[in-house]
Amino acid sequence: MGKQSVATQDFSQTCLRELIKEGKVELTDNGYQLTERGRAAVMPELRRYEHRPAMAMMIELHVLNQHQHSVW
């Protein structure tokens, strides 16, 4: 595993730990899930792109390229 892959993995794990600590994400049998608090935090942002699917797609590509994680 390359240095960037390790750094990306560390970054992702750090983010997830912080989100769990803030009560926005929880680990379930099916993986990580948003809590009610997490959904409340993310919905205003998602509504901004509700009628702009091309922008949402570009954001997904950015996240995938920068962090090697799909948002789907």
Side-chain angles (χ1 to χ4, degrees):
M1 190 178 296
K3 282 186 179 183
Q4 181 152 1
S5 296
V6 172
T8 299
Q9 197 171 34
D10 290 345
F11 174 76
S12 297
Q13 290 301 312
T14 299
C15 288
L16 284 168
R17 279 193 301 271
E18 188 64 30
L19 290 168
I20 290 169
K21 183 178 171 184
E22 293 173 359
K24 295 178 181 174
V25 171
E26 63 187 356
L27 182 59
T28 68
D29 291 338
N30 298 321
Y32 292 99
Q33 301 285 324
L34 288 174
T35 63
E36 191 63 36
R37 186 175 183 184
R39 280 188 291 281
V42 83
M43 287 313 295
E45 289 299 315
L46 290 177
R47 282 189 205 102
R48 292 178 58 193
Y49 303 103
E50 207 167 34
H51 301 290
R52 299 172 61 199
M55 181 60 76
M57 185 179 288
M58 288 190 304
I59 291 169
E60 177 189 10
L61 288 170
H62 172 76
V63 170
L64 181 61
N65 291 327
Q66 290 295 314
H67 307 291
Q68 287 78 44
H69 283 281
S70 174
V71 295
W72 301 114

